[in-house]
Amino acid sequence: MIQTTLFQLDDYGPWTVQPTPRSEMDLQVLQARLYANIAAFVGDREGYAFYTRGDNIIGITNGLDREEHERLQASLRNRYPVTVSFGIGTGETPRTALEAASTALQTAGSAQDETRTGVCRGKTLIEDRMKNGTSDENTVHVAHFDIESATEQFTDRLDAFETYTAIHRWCGSLARHLYRTHDALSFFVGGDNVVSICPAMDEQAYHDVIDHVTESVGIPFRVGVGAGRTAHKAGLAAKYGLERGRERKQPVVITEQPQTVSL
Amino acid sequence: MIQTTLFQLDDYGPWTVQPTPRSEMDLQVLQARLYANIAAFVGDREGYAFYTRGDNIIGITNGLDREEHERLQASLRNRYPVTVSFGIGTGETPRTALEAASTALQTAGSAQDETRTGVCRGKTLIEDRMKNGTSDENTVHVAHFDIESATEQFTDRLDAFETYTAIHRWCGSLARHLYRTHDALSFFVGGDNVVSICPAMDEQAYHDVIDHVTESVGIPFRVGVGAGRTAHKAGLAAKYGLERGRERKQPVVITEQPQTVSL
Amino acid sequence: MIQTTLFQLDDYGPWTVQPTPRSEMDLQVLQARLYANIAAFVGDREGYAFYTRGDNIIGITNGLDREEHERLQASLRNRYPVTVSFGIGTGETPRTALEAASTALQTAGSAQDETRTGVCRGKTLIEDRMKNGTSDENTVHVAHFDIESATEQFTDRLDAFETYTAIHRWCGSLARHLYRTHDALSFFVGGDNVVSICPAMDEQAYHDVIDHVTESVGIPFRVGVGAGRTAHKAGLAAKYGLERGRERKQPVVITEQPQTVSL
Amino acid sequence: MIQTTLFQLDDYGPWTVQPTPRSEMDLQVLQARLYANIAAFVGDREGYAFYTRGDNIIGITNGLDREEHERLQASLRNRYPVTVSFGIGTGETPRTALEAASTALQTAGSAQDETRTGVCRGKTLIEDRMKNGTSDENTVHVAHFDIESATEQFTDRLDAFETYTAIHRWCGSLARHLYRTHDALSFFVGGDNVVSICPAMDEQAYHDVIDHVTESVGIPFRVGVGAGRTAHKAGLAAKYGLERGRERKQPVVITEQPQTVSL
């Protein structure tokens, strides 16, 4: 079981242009700081949060209960000129968990509803288990992808915008394919790196994903895969797998046993 | 003439995995804070900076001279565990300006060159003018795009990931088209907003862009366009145009005279 | 029992002037951000952290175990150009707890020892209890002081520097008195507010403190006192006491029962 | 002539307890971030800003005109849940400049006036000169003090709170003496460092200050003094003086000629 949280700014679009349009860099700084605050809070509890659209941030929050969500929400209310509503959802796959989180929030009101202010809706894994007796098996699987020789092939050779669009195209193709075929949620995390929250998948499935996407966009890439009780633990194991794959020139490395890793 | 700056972290990929892979949320927080610092500094001087790949940030820096670049660089050195190299470039179009900035940096060494540490290369508009007698006409043109009824059509209806990928697909299609046909640089700035740094283009050209992209991805959108001596001034005028277009239901509004606008 | 943590920057003085003196505002920004990061992390776990000297930050960390300290330390290492060593100490009073934390750190090496880098020394409450069978009664007592009519008497009447020095003088006098007579640790937290971490003290003791300090510096002030298992819970109860005292014009209000309070 | 700016949060005290008292660490994080933003903005323009009381921040703003103040103010409005009013003042001495800034703000309304929201009052140096023909000689003098062997004498020997109060006592004594006898404004900047904005003073005057304060608090200390058109330039020269004094064991070093210094 996966738990996700959708962090959605309340009535943000209208705020950015009232009473007159606000400076774009001020908005960018606000969004980056808000994201950094959420990522630090969620990360401190071994969860993950992804910038996504800036006004809609997606979190993998296995390990955060309702009280911790409310603490974060109170803290954001004390720091920012805008409020943030939270939708929490659980599911068998990352996709169904996020659908539940999205629905919980949509039911509470539109993203541009003036009266929806800092609500927290939906169910956490613990609440779900107590009510519905759902499984307490809640391993998170993380796949960490990067491009082979991206620095040599792109960064040091093309102009910065061409590199950017090439990598975004690869990332978009990979994300859509993994979503459709495996209910996975994938996010660009900078450089030439994509982090995917996946269901349990075997090595062949990852080879198939790589083959399919490489065929479509012509960029060879690798993946390290890890599992753990939290996104942080699974993600670190995935990074170890990716490093091992780089050394051994293997495109897919699944770290069977979680590493005993430093933080 | 446009001036761009490419901000590139030095040897960052290796740093993220040495001595062992670092926590993904720590890296995300670092990247978001670094971007916020650069955006605030550049924005204070009426420039723009875009997150792009996190380890490669693109700035539109008309109005910032070399001394200001060096001040920012010293300040980053005092605040972060990693260093940042800068490539500055000028050109007749946004694309050629960024090509010059990218080349200036690539000539100084690879992004993964261990010995390249916080260099600042390339030429500013002022230096260029003094040396080559290039024009001092350096108007920046900004086009601000957003999707019609994005909240109703996407955010309030689909799950947060589907909305995210739909908007990114639109954004990627728009960015690639504008780059190829007009040498423009386009960036997703959150929500359903894309900001493009363009050459001078007339209303018909914008209609053509909208028609082409809508046909390809099926999402209707609008644009406000502005011009000014800095990205900030041009961008604010573009935002006013977009607001006016929303009210009058016009897909393209070019703000002829820069507004006297509050900050 | 109280647990304190001393966060001490390693070899920071020399760093601020090498290779040449660094910009004072860069150092101030660095110190403020580092403090904000530590305060947010510790605060998320219901502890308190005080800026103190900027390069030496004092935390009340009941509730944070060793693993959480190490997580914070790893996170700081990933975000800053300087490292931070931690000394953890426990004691019957705030003073003796901080003495233990200070000694733990001093034993590990000088604050200007070039080879001491990000160490974490000393014992947490849990470790202490497991080893020495010390009491598990670890209530934190917080006293929150503020000046009567500070805005009317000072801020709106004197120049900003006179107000600042008058309040600092009051604060210093209060802090030294509480330390000597009650082993309490007191910190200026902005405005006209002082937060003290105290042992259990009765109402008369607080009246005596107020009388003694008012006599010496001539500034009338109030206090709200609270207790709880964490600094956060005790501190919120203290704030409620202070509000009640303001309404009822009582100089000392001890909140007997912790409030059920929102975050 | 000196220009100072008083940054004062509007109606902040009531906000911290409405509707119920807010978490102390949230308030500390807010204050630290707000200060960091102001210090970064002012520092980028070679000014200085000091934390002071957190809700009242004092800036030395020679070099910042009204438009830049308004830009900062708009930016703060876009980032924080509270607004900040600015009072700008000029004077022959730091003290008289701050008196003018304080009066300008007090005239606009009380710090707890619910209707005073983000005002900017007072006069800048440029406006003053245009109107009153005042001198355009506006050198800033900065004295940077630190304690001899503070690490050995205090940090490595006493507990962290004793060190903190000893240093604050020294700092308070020094600040009050310099204010009364020389109209200087002095601020603790962390560690064992005090930065004073002074009028022009000769070497003997600094020896007298050191003798007077050492006699009173028993702590030997040094000073480096510098001058320049901005606080940043003067402050860097002062730091160089202090370093030279450390090497040569001289308690007072006035850097006659501003160094050509890196940023």
Side-chain angles (χ1 to χ4, degrees):
Chain A
M1 296 288 286
I2 291 283
Q3 176 181 305
T4 66
T5 305
L6 174 57
F7 304 95
Q8 188 173 81
L9 272 66
D10 294 311
D11 207 25
Y12 180 61
W15 184 84
T16 65
V17 292
Q18 277 163 1
T20 55
R22 295 175 197 257
S23 148
E24 192 57 50
M25 286 306 104
D26 277 0
L27 298 177
Q28 293 306 306
V29 170
L30 174 76
Q31 292 169 202
R33 293 236 161 92
L34 180 74
Y35 168 68
N37 280 171
I38 291 175
F41 187 97
V42 170
D44 284 349
R45 284 148 184 87
E46 303 207 357
Y48 270 9
F50 300 98
Y51 184 79
T52 327
R53 292 201 291 145
D55 59 355
N56 282 267
I57 289 167
I58 295 175
I60 308 304
T61 54
N62 290 43
L64 277 83
D65 61 20
R66 180 169 301 271
E67 197 195 331
E68 288 175 303
H69 278 85
E70 286 169 355
R71 182 188 301 277
L72 172 58
Q73 201 164 40
S75 173
L76 297 177
R77 192 158 42 226
N78 288 340
R79 293 189 203 170
Y80 288 95
V82 288
T83 59
V84 188
S85 284
F86 294 8
I88 309 171
T90 64
E92 295 287 340
T93 70
R95 177 184 187 155
T96 54
L98 185 62
E99 283 170 356
S102 301
T103 302
L105 207 46
Q106 286 159 355
T107 307
S110 165
Q112 293 196 1
D113 181 336
E114 284 174 37
T115 64
R116 200 196 73 187
T117 304
V119 304
C120 183
R121 295 294 163 82
K123 273 207 195 58
T124 63
L125 280 173
I126 296 168
E127 293 163 347
D128 214 32
R129 196 177 310 142
M130 287 171 65
K131 195 170 172 197
N132 302 324
T134 50
S135 159
D136 74 340
E137 198 285 318
N138 55 19
T139 303
V140 181
H141 299 266
V142 169
H144 193 128
F145 297 89
D146 76 359
I147 293 173
E148 284 180 31
S149 312
T151 301
E152 295 80 352
Q153 275 192 74
F154 294 99
T155 313
D156 289 349
R157 211 165 57 84
L158 303 182
D159 84 53
F161 193 79
E162 285 176 304
T163 298
Y164 169 57
T165 51
I167 287 172
H168 260 263
R169 192 168 202 181
W170 162 70
C171 166
S173 176
L174 174 59
R176 282 189 298 272
H177 183 68
L178 275 166
Y179 183 73
R180 283 189 205 133
T181 57
H182 294 282
D183 272 15
L185 304 176
S186 309
F187 305 91
F188 178 64
V189 292
D192 61 327
N193 294 264
V194 166
V195 165
S196 296
I197 314 302
C198 294
M201 289 166 58
D202 63 18
E203 199 175 318
Q204 186 55 47
Y206 281 108
H207 278 290
D208 290 349
V209 166
I210 290 179
D211 291 347
H212 178 91
V213 175
T214 302
E215 202 165 301
S216 148
V217 297
I219 294 178
F221 60 102
R222 282 171 307 224
V223 66
V225 183
R229 285 190 68 83
T230 62
H232 171 74
K233 287 198 174 68
L236 266 188
K239 284 166 182 260
Y240 274 89
L242 194 60
E243 285 304 289
R244 211 161 339 124
R246 202 187 315 267
E247 290 155 16
R248 301 182 189 170
K249 304 202 178 303
Q250 284 181 287
V252 180
V253 175
I254 299 185
T255 304
E256 288 296 340
Q257 300 286 42
Q259 301 281 323
T260 307
V261 287
S262 71
L263 298 167
Chain B
M1 296 288 286
I2 292 283
Q3 177 182 306
T4 66
T5 305
L6 174 57
F7 304 95
Q8 188 174 80
L9 272 66
D10 294 310
D11 206 25
Y12 180 62
W15 183 85
T16 65
V17 292
Q18 278 163 0
T20 54
R22 296 176 196 257
S23 149
E24 191 58 49
M25 286 305 105
D26 277 1
L27 298 178
Q28 294 305 307
V29 170
L30 174 76
Q31 291 169 199
R33 292 235 162 92
L34 180 74
Y35 168 68
N37 280 172
I38 291 175
F41 187 97
V42 170
D44 283 350
R45 283 146 183 89
E46 304 209 354
Y48 270 10
F50 300 99
Y51 183 79
T52 326
R53 293 202 290 146
D55 58 354
N56 282 267
I57 290 167
I58 294 175
I60 309 302
T61 53
N62 290 43
L64 276 83
D65 61 20
R66 180 169 302 269
E67 196 195 331
E68 289 175 303
H69 278 86
E70 286 170 354
R71 183 189 302 276
L72 172 58
Q73 202 165 39
S75 173
L76 297 177
R77 193 158 41 225
N78 288 340
R79 294 187 202 171
Y80 288 94
V82 288
T83 58
V84 188
S85 285
F86 294 8
I88 310 171
T90 63
E92 295 287 340
T93 70
R95 177 185 188 154
T96 54
L98 185 61
E99 283 170 355
S102 301
T103 302
L105 208 46
Q106 287 158 353
T107 308
S110 165
Q112 293 196 3
D113 181 337
E114 284 174 36
T115 63
R116 200 196 72 187
T117 305
V119 304
C120 183
R121 296 293 162 84
K123 273 208 193 59
T124 63
L125 279 174
I126 295 167
E127 293 164 345
D128 214 33
R129 197 176 310 141
M130 287 170 66
K131 196 171 171 195
N132 302 324
T134 50
S135 159
D136 74 339
E137 198 286 319
N138 55 19
T139 303
V140 181
H141 299 266
V142 169
H144 193 129
F145 297 89
D146 77 358
I147 293 173
E148 285 180 30
S149 312
T151 302
E152 296 81 351
Q153 275 192 74
F154 295 99
T155 313
D156 290 349
R157 212 165 57 83
L158 304 182
D159 83 54
F161 193 79
E162 286 176 304
T163 298
Y164 169 56
T165 50
I167 286 172
H168 261 263
R169 193 169 200 179
W170 162 69
C171 166
S173 177
L174 174 59
R176 282 189 299 271
H177 183 69
L178 275 167
Y179 183 71
R180 282 188 205 132
T181 57
H182 294 282
D183 272 16
L185 304 176
S186 310
F187 305 91
F188 178 64
V189 292
D192 62 328
N193 294 263
V194 167
V195 165
S196 297
I197 314 302
C198 295
M201 290 166 56
D202 63 18
E203 199 174 319
Q204 188 54 46
Y206 282 107
H207 278 290
D208 291 348
V209 166
I210 290 179
D211 291 347
H212 178 91
V213 174
T214 302
E215 202 165 299
S216 150
V217 297
I219 294 177
F221 60 102
R222 283 171 306 224
V223 68
V225 183
R229 286 190 69 83
T230 62
H232 171 73
K233 287 199 173 67
L236 266 188
K239 283 166 182 260
Y240 274 90
L242 194 61
E243 285 304 287
R244 211 160 341 122
R246 203 186 316 267
E247 290 155 17
R248 301 182 189 170
K249 303 199 180 305
Q250 283 181 287
V252 180
V253 175
I254 299 184
T255 305
E256 288 295 342
Q257 299 286 41
Q259 301 280 323
T260 306
V261 288
S262 71
L263 297 166
Chain C
M1 297 289 284
I2 291 283
Q3 177 181 306
T4 65
T5 305
L6 174 57
F7 304 94
Q8 188 174 81
L9 271 66
D10 295 310
D11 207 25
Y12 180 61
W15 183 84
T16 65
V17 292
Q18 279 163 0
T20 55
R22 294 175 197 256
S23 149
E24 191 58 50
M25 286 306 103
D26 277 1
L27 298 177
Q28 294 304 308
V29 170
L30 174 75
Q31 292 169 201
R33 292 235 162 94
L34 181 73
Y35 168 68
N37 279 171
I38 291 176
F41 187 97
V42 171
D44 283 350
R45 285 148 183 86
E46 302 207 357
Y48 269 11
F50 300 99
Y51 183 78
T52 328
R53 294 202 289 145
D55 59 355
N56 281 267
I57 290 167
I58 294 176
I60 309 303
T61 53
N62 291 43
L64 276 83
D65 61 20
R66 180 170 301 272
E67 197 195 330
E68 288 174 305
H69 278 85
E70 287 170 354
R71 183 189 301 276
L72 172 58
Q73 201 164 39
S75 174
L76 297 178
R77 193 159 39 227
N78 287 340
R79 293 189 203 169
Y80 289 95
V82 289
T83 59
V84 189
S85 284
F86 294 8
I88 309 171
T90 64
E92 295 286 340
T93 69
R95 177 185 187 155
T96 54
L98 186 61
E99 283 169 356
S102 302
T103 302
L105 207 46
Q106 287 158 355
T107 308
S110 164
Q112 293 196 1
D113 181 336
E114 283 173 37
T115 63
R116 200 196 73 188
T117 304
V119 303
C120 182
R121 295 293 162 82
K123 274 207 194 60
T124 63
L125 280 173
I126 295 168
E127 292 164 346
D128 214 31
R129 196 176 309 141
M130 286 171 67
K131 193 170 174 199
N132 302 324
T134 50
S135 158
D136 74 339
E137 197 286 318
N138 55 19
T139 303
V140 180
H141 299 266
V142 169
H144 193 128
F145 298 90
D146 78 358
I147 294 173
E148 285 181 28
S149 312
T151 302
E152 295 81 352
Q153 275 192 74
F154 294 99
T155 313
D156 289 349
R157 212 166 56 84
L158 304 181
D159 83 53
F161 192 78
E162 286 176 303
T163 298
Y164 169 56
T165 50
I167 286 172
H168 260 262
R169 193 169 200 180
W170 162 71
C171 167
S173 176
L174 174 59
R176 282 188 298 271
H177 183 69
L178 275 167
Y179 184 72
R180 282 187 204 134
T181 58
H182 294 283
D183 273 15
L185 304 177
S186 309
F187 305 92
F188 178 64
V189 292
D192 62 328
N193 295 263
V194 167
V195 165
S196 296
I197 314 304
C198 295
M201 289 166 56
D202 64 18
E203 198 175 317
Q204 188 54 47
Y206 281 107
H207 278 290
D208 291 348
V209 166
I210 291 178
D211 291 347
H212 178 90
V213 175
T214 303
E215 202 164 301
S216 149
V217 297
I219 294 177
F221 61 102
R222 281 171 307 223
V223 67
V225 183
R229 286 189 68 85
T230 62
H232 172 74
K233 287 198 173 68
L236 265 188
K239 284 166 182 260
Y240 274 91
L242 193 62
E243 285 303 289
R244 211 161 340 121
R246 202 187 315 266
E247 289 155 17
R248 300 182 189 170
K249 304 201 179 304
Q250 282 181 288
V252 180
V253 175
I254 300 184
T255 305
E256 289 295 342
Q257 301 286 41
Q259 302 279 324
T260 307
V261 288
S262 70
L263 296 166
Chain D
M1 297 288 285
I2 290 284
Q3 176 180 306
T4 65
T5 305
L6 174 57
F7 304 95
Q8 189 173 81
L9 271 66
D10 294 310
D11 207 26
Y12 181 61
W15 183 84
T16 65
V17 292
Q18 277 164 1
T20 55
R22 294 175 196 256
S23 150
E24 190 59 49
M25 285 307 103
D26 277 0
L27 298 178
Q28 294 304 308
V29 170
L30 174 75
Q31 292 169 200
R33 292 235 162 93
L34 181 73
Y35 167 68
N37 281 171
I38 291 176
F41 187 97
V42 171
D44 283 349
R45 285 148 182 88
E46 304 209 354
Y48 269 11
F50 300 99
Y51 184 78
T52 329
R53 293 202 291 144
D55 59 355
N56 282 267
I57 290 167
I58 294 175
I60 309 303
T61 53
N62 290 43
L64 276 82
D65 61 20
R66 180 169 301 270
E67 197 194 332
E68 287 174 304
H69 278 85
E70 287 170 354
R71 183 189 302 274
L72 172 58
Q73 201 163 42
S75 174
L76 297 177
R77 193 158 41 227
N78 288 341
R79 294 189 202 169
Y80 288 95
V82 289
T83 59
V84 188
S85 284
F86 295 7
I88 310 170
T90 64
E92 295 286 341
T93 70
R95 177 186 187 153
T96 54
L98 185 61
E99 283 170 355
S102 301
T103 302
L105 207 46
Q106 288 159 354
T107 307
S110 165
Q112 293 196 1
D113 180 337
E114 284 174 36
T115 62
R116 200 197 72 187
T117 304
V119 303
C120 182
R121 294 294 162 83
K123 273 205 194 59
T124 62
L125 280 173
I126 296 167
E127 293 163 346
D128 215 31
R129 197 176 311 143
M130 286 170 67
K131 195 171 171 195
N132 302 323
T134 50
S135 159
D136 74 340
E137 197 287 318
N138 55 19
T139 303
V140 181
H141 298 266
V142 169
H144 193 128
F145 297 90
D146 77 359
I147 293 173
E148 286 180 28
S149 312
T151 302
E152 295 82 350
Q153 275 192 75
F154 295 99
T155 314
D156 288 350
R157 211 166 57 83
L158 304 181
D159 83 53
F161 192 78
E162 286 177 304
T163 297
Y164 168 57
T165 51
I167 286 172
H168 260 263
R169 193 169 200 179
W170 162 71
C171 167
S173 177
L174 174 59
R176 282 189 298 272
H177 183 68
L178 275 168
Y179 183 71
R180 282 188 205 134
T181 58
H182 294 283
D183 272 17
L185 304 176
S186 309
F187 304 91
F188 178 65
V189 291
D192 62 328
N193 294 264
V194 167
V195 165
S196 297
I197 314 302
C198 295
M201 289 167 57
D202 63 17
E203 198 174 318
Q204 187 54 49
Y206 281 107
H207 278 291
D208 290 348
V209 166
I210 291 179
D211 291 348
H212 178 91
V213 174
T214 303
E215 203 166 300
S216 149
V217 297
I219 293 177
F221 60 102
R222 284 172 304 224
V223 66
V225 184
R229 286 189 69 85
T230 63
H232 171 73
K233 287 199 173 69
L236 266 188
K239 283 166 182 259
Y240 274 90
L242 194 61
E243 285 303 289
R244 211 161 340 123
R246 203 188 315 267
E247 290 155 17
R248 301 182 189 170
K249 305 201 178 304
Q250 282 180 288
V252 180
V253 175
I254 300 185
T255 304
E256 289 295 341
Q257 300 287 39
Q259 302 279 324
T260 307
V261 288
S262 70
L263 296 166

